[in-house]
Amino acid sequence: MQRAYSFKALLILGVIVLAALLVAASADRALAATASDTAEVGISIGILEVLISHGDINFGTATGTGYTSVQSGDATVKRNTNWKVTIQADSAAWTGSNGGRADKPCSHLEYNRSWSPGWIQLSTSPTELASGTPGEYTGTMSYRVLIVWADTPGDYQIDVTSTLTGN
Amino acid sequence: MRTRNRQPASSLKRRLGAPESVRLRLRLTYILSVSIGIATLSLAFPHHALAAVQIIAHSDILLTATVADFDTGYKLSLGNSVLYQCDQDSTWQIGIRSLDANLGPSDDATYTKPLSDLYWKGGSQGSWIPMTTSYVTVLSGSSSPGWWTVDIDYGFLLSWFNDKPGTYQATIQYTITSY
């Protein structure tokens, strides 16, 4: 009886050991049959903006006092944050040449926005032209020049700056 | 009754010193146990589970968007290789999914970029497919043992109206399953 029992004990022990080995081996194989891994896929977006202003505006030759003909040009704003655009004259007076006076005020240049009625005199202080939420926008700017008797014959030119910033 | 089952460990040693006939029976018992174990192993784990496959290498991807990308409407990252290994002849399938439900918030936390703004294509998928959290098969087939690659392209949709500054990303999971 003692001997028979020992054989059974050894048999059971052997099966247990084999079962343990079986579980260990199968665990490795099962993991290998389906394997996963991960990767980060991303994109970094900073503050992006574009201001496309119209080019130079030429009013031609004025033929009398009062306002010149209206000249227009498109401007485009793209920005991925809230934004605003300001406009200002770079100098208080026009630059006169070929006889043109040197003190024609910048306010003689007036602008009009397609998205907001009314004519506004230009100044050297930044004035808000437009503002908005993130996006892409295009509008038309129109200009005219006030001609007065004080404007001596000649050529007149003034630089205007538009600035796009966050708002 | 239970005392009959309790035997000191030294009893085994005594068995080793048993007569030749007993040792022979011990060996036979051992052989029988091994045979049973091997048979059980074969039955419990058929051939398909023995095919060993794994993802070996791939790269994280972090793109930087530009004005030109916004004007185009998307940013691409092409030919991202995923290297995988087959230890033996096997039939397998590679899947892809996102572990994240979206691409995360903007820096000011006022906008969350949707996961569907991330597209991918590659393997047997020739068209751009919006990323989801569900597995989609990239490629399936059979390979001999060795290392293999599958190239995956990624594309982010971009919009001037939506995409505020921020870093948008998702954790992408590649899974290879052998059959």
Side-chain angles (χ1 to χ4, degrees):
Chain A
M1 289 297 290
Q2 182 73 17
R3 184 175 299 164
Y5 166 76
S6 299
F7 291 152
K8 288 181 181 175
L10 280 174
L11 178 62
I12 292 170
L13 180 63
V15 169
I16 291 173
V17 170
L18 281 171
L21 291 173
L22 177 70
V23 169
S26 64
D28 287 341
R29 292 299 186 186
L31 285 174
T34 297
S36 295
D37 207 350
T38 59
E40 298 297 320
V41 177
I43 187 167
S44 176
I45 299 174
I47 296 175
L48 300 174
E49 62 181 11
V50 176
L51 173 60
I52 304 173
S53 186
H54 51 73
D56 293 344
I57 299 287
N58 190 334
F59 293 94
T61 302
T63 57
T65 56
Y67 290 105
T68 63
S69 61
V70 174
Q71 301 295 323
S72 300
D74 289 341
T76 297
V77 170
K78 303 174 185 179
R79 189 173 165 110
N80 64 341
T81 69
N82 293 341
W83 56 272
K84 71 175 179 181
V85 174
T86 59
I87 189 171
Q88 67 188 101
D90 288 359
S91 58
W94 294 67
T95 299
S97 61
N98 298 323
R101 65 181 176 127
D103 57 353
K104 181 176 176 61
C106 65
S107 59
H108 283 187
L109 177 61
E110 299 182 3
Y111 61 87
N112 173 275
R113 300 164 291 179
S114 60
W115 57 95
S116 181
W119 288 93
I120 301 172
Q121 295 178 341
L122 196 65
S123 76
T124 54
S125 300
T127 305
E128 186 174 300
L129 267 184
S131 62
T133 55
E136 181 176 359
Y137 305 87
T138 295
T140 300
M141 292 287 293
S142 298
Y143 301 89
R144 67 184 183 184
V145 181
L146 176 63
I147 306 297
V148 297
W149 286 112
D151 296 333
T152 55
D155 297 327
Y156 295 86
Q157 178 175 316
I158 190 168
D159 291 329
V160 177
T161 297
S162 299
T163 304
L164 170 63
T165 59
N167 190 18
Chain B
M1 294 294 286
R2 292 177 62 83
T3 54
R4 194 173 79 91
N5 294 333
R6 294 199 187 105
Q7 293 199 8
S10 58
S11 67
L12 288 178
K13 293 181 179 176
R14 286 199 299 272
R15 294 294 173 208
L16 295 177
E20 186 64 27
S21 60
V22 174
R23 275 188 273 173
L24 179 60
R25 292 183 66 180
L26 279 172
R27 287 188 185 129
L28 289 173
T29 302
Y30 173 75
I31 293 170
L32 177 63
S33 300
V34 170
S35 300
I36 292 172
I38 292 173
T40 306
L41 181 66
S42 300
L43 290 173
F45 299 94
H47 172 72
H48 74 268
L50 297 178
V53 291
Q54 57 183 319
I55 305 290
I56 299 296
H58 52 77
S59 300
D60 290 341
I61 300 163
L62 180 58
L63 308 175
T64 300
T66 66
V67 167
D69 298 327
F70 268 65
D71 283 343
T72 304
Y74 53 82
K75 176 79 169 184
L76 302 180
S77 176
L78 305 178
N80 302 285
S81 294
V82 176
L83 180 65
Y84 60 97
Q85 182 183 22
C86 299
D87 287 346
Q88 55 189 273
D89 291 334
S90 59
T91 299
W92 44 260
Q93 175 176 295
I94 296 176
I96 191 172
R97 71 163 177 159
S98 170
L99 298 182
D100 299 310
N102 56 63
L103 297 175
S106 58
D107 286 344
D108 63 6
T110 61
Y111 168 70
T112 298
K113 192 169 178 61
L115 182 60
S116 57
D117 277 1
L118 173 59
Y119 279 70
W120 67 273
K121 70 179 176 72
S124 59
Q125 305 287 358
S127 302
W128 289 101
I129 299 172
M131 184 66 70
T132 68
T133 54
S134 301
Y135 274 112
V136 177
T137 299
V138 177
L139 188 65
S140 59
S142 300
S143 296
S144 54
W147 290 6
W148 307 88
T149 61
V150 57
D151 286 343
I152 298 178
D153 301 333
Y154 290 101
F156 286 91
L157 291 184
L158 298 172
S159 163
W160 282 109
F161 291 90
N162 295 329
D163 294 324
K164 294 181 176 181
T167 299
Y168 304 96
Q169 63 181 19
T171 300
I172 303 303
Q173 184 178 55
Y174 306 106
T175 297
I176 183 167
T177 304
S178 64
Y179 297 95

